[in-house]
Amino acid sequence: MNAIDNAIYSMTGYGKGVSEQDGLKVTVELKSVNHRFLDLNIKLPKVFTFAEDVLRKTIQGAISRGHIDVYVNYEDTRESKKTLSIDYDLASQYVLAAREIQGRCLIQNNFFTAEVLRMPDVVTQVAKEEDEEMLAKLLKDACLGAIDSINAMKLREGEALVKDLYSKIENIRNTIPKIQQLAPKTLEEYRAKLEERVREYLKDAPIDEVKLINEIAFYSDKFCTDEEVTRLYTHIDHFREVLGGGGAVGKKLDFIVQEMNRETNTIGSKCNNAQITECVVFMKSEIEKIREQIQNLV
């Protein structure tokens, strides 16, 4: 995933890439879960120790967030992993020594090639030197394949998460009008109860309507949820805007959700009404589900 890619990715996924050449096979597997930053846990065969930085930079250039376990497997299927080294100077000395023995001892020289090859240190086996440039290329190619694979999976999961988030945010939006309808009734209920209590307390004494109106006005101002509802609508619109813009949205959405939760809590604390409380509980449940979902978004 690069900077110009506006798709939304999940941080959870698995990908595998394989690269082969001349009997060498490199397999890279990536397993990712959510994390606030990019956290790489790389496990390399000893032969690739020199190339860890190449692998790390390749992943960092394509993935921005998540805890990623990186597994690298190396297979060498070449028929011979060693080469023969011939010490021609030593072989020549053996041949000259045989001729000298023949001349001095007047015997037949039967020192042929096969005998030369059997002489100590003439022929030795040497392990082939690994071509680090080729190994680094195989490792990078396999890693790029694994990145393509994991990003394809993360994209599919991201699309599913986005669809679910739109559904949940719409559920919250559709609940707000119910609160707006119930809020005035709550005020009326409070006025009726307040009047009833005052009359019961004063019995036949006259009621000071001005004080009663002032009390109701005070309650109305204290428990009015218009501002919270307006801000909640604004946060919902902002949430949809950020989600629709794509890219790395996880941190932005997390902040918006915190603000939505704060406004919802305030509405719940202001309205002492069973039906409004039910609406608030539902919205808080949806907000919590959203919060959990966006933890998985890049």
Side-chain angles (χ1 to χ4, degrees):
M1 183 176 63
N2 53 50
I4 63 173
D5 191 343
N6 286 328
I8 293 180
Y9 291 79
S10 165
M11 275 192 281
T12 304
Y14 170 82
K16 180 179 179 180
V18 179
S19 183
E20 298 180 76
Q21 183 177 337
D22 299 336
L24 302 179
K25 180 179 179 181
V26 178
T27 303
V28 175
E29 294 178 90
L30 305 177
K31 183 180 179 182
S32 175
V33 294
N34 59 14
H35 195 274
R36 291 181 63 194
F37 310 104
L38 180 62
D39 178 37
L40 299 179
N41 177 33
I42 299 175
K43 297 181 180 179
L44 281 171
K46 188 176 180 179
V47 68
F48 282 109
T49 303
F50 76 95
E52 180 174 346
D53 192 51
V54 173
L55 183 64
R56 190 176 293 275
K57 287 181 178 178
T58 301
I59 297 172
Q60 289 172 342
I63 299 175
S64 59
R65 289 179 67 196
H67 171 84
I68 303 177
D69 290 314
V70 185
Y71 304 96
V72 178
N73 185 53
Y74 174 59
E75 297 178 50
D76 186 348
T77 59
R78 293 174 295 185
E79 290 186 4
S80 176
K81 301 177 184 179
K82 295 183 178 180
T83 58
L84 295 179
S85 175
I86 301 175
D87 189 336
Y88 290 101
D89 290 336
L90 183 60
S92 297
Q93 292 180 42
Y94 280 124
V95 171
L96 290 174
R99 289 176 180 172
E100 188 173 342
I101 291 173
Q102 176 189 19
R104 289 189 178 189
C105 299
L106 300 175
I107 57 175
Q108 182 180 1
N109 184 358
N110 60 355
F111 194 66
F112 301 111
T113 304
E115 281 71 24
V116 175
L117 292 175
R118 285 195 290 266
M119 300 308 294
D121 301 325
V122 171
V123 179
T124 55
Q125 288 187 337
V126 180
K128 289 183 179 178
E129 282 191 24
E130 299 292 357
D131 186 339
E132 290 191 350
E133 185 177 345
M134 183 175 73
L135 288 179
K137 182 180 182 305
L138 288 173
L139 181 64
K140 185 173 182 178
D141 288 347
C143 183
L144 290 173
I147 289 171
D148 288 342
S149 176
I150 195 174
N151 276 344
M153 181 176 179
K154 289 166 68 177
L155 178 59
R156 290 193 300 270
E157 291 198 10
E159 289 172 345
L161 286 174
V162 168
K163 184 177 179 181
D164 187 59
L165 288 173
Y166 273 124
S167 173
K168 285 180 170 54
I169 204 72
E170 198 62 25
N171 288 341
I172 296 172
R173 177 184 283 277
N174 293 337
T175 305
I176 298 175
K178 298 177 184 178
I179 294 176
Q180 291 176 296
Q181 291 173 1
L182 291 167
K185 295 180 182 179
T186 303
L187 186 59
E188 289 299 322
E189 289 173 0
Y190 175 78
R191 178 183 180 127
K193 288 180 180 179
L194 183 61
E195 257 189 83
E196 182 183 348
R197 289 178 182 176
V198 170
R199 290 187 187 281
E200 183 181 349
Y201 178 75
L202 296 177
K203 295 185 179 179
D204 297 329
I207 298 175
D208 189 335
E209 293 290 341
V210 175
K211 287 186 177 180
L212 182 60
I213 291 171
N214 286 338
E215 174 66 19
I216 293 171
F218 174 76
Y219 177 87
S220 176
D221 183 61
K222 184 178 180 181
F223 294 94
C224 179
T225 60
D226 290 350
E227 291 184 13
E228 287 78 18
V229 165
T230 299
R231 286 195 290 267
L232 193 52
Y233 273 128
T234 301
H235 294 323
I236 290 172
D237 290 339
H238 190 198
F239 186 97
R240 291 177 61 88
E241 180 184 347
V242 171
L243 194 60
V249 299
K251 292 182 178 179
K252 295 178 183 177
L253 294 180
D254 189 48
F255 174 76
I256 297 171
V257 166
Q258 290 179 38
E259 297 302 309
M260 289 172 58
N261 192 57
R262 182 178 292 110
E263 303 301 341
T264 304
N265 281 333
T266 304
I267 292 172
S269 65
K270 282 188 171 185
C271 297
N272 185 21
N273 176 280
Q275 291 176 291
I276 292 179
T277 299
E278 185 179 336
C279 292
V280 168
V281 169
F282 173 75
M283 290 196 300
K284 284 176 63 66
S285 174
E286 292 296 277
I287 289 172
E288 180 60 23
K289 291 174 185 175
I290 290 173
R291 190 194 66 78
E292 291 177 358
Q293 294 283 49
I294 63 177
Q295 300 307 310
N296 263 336
L297 293 180
V298 174

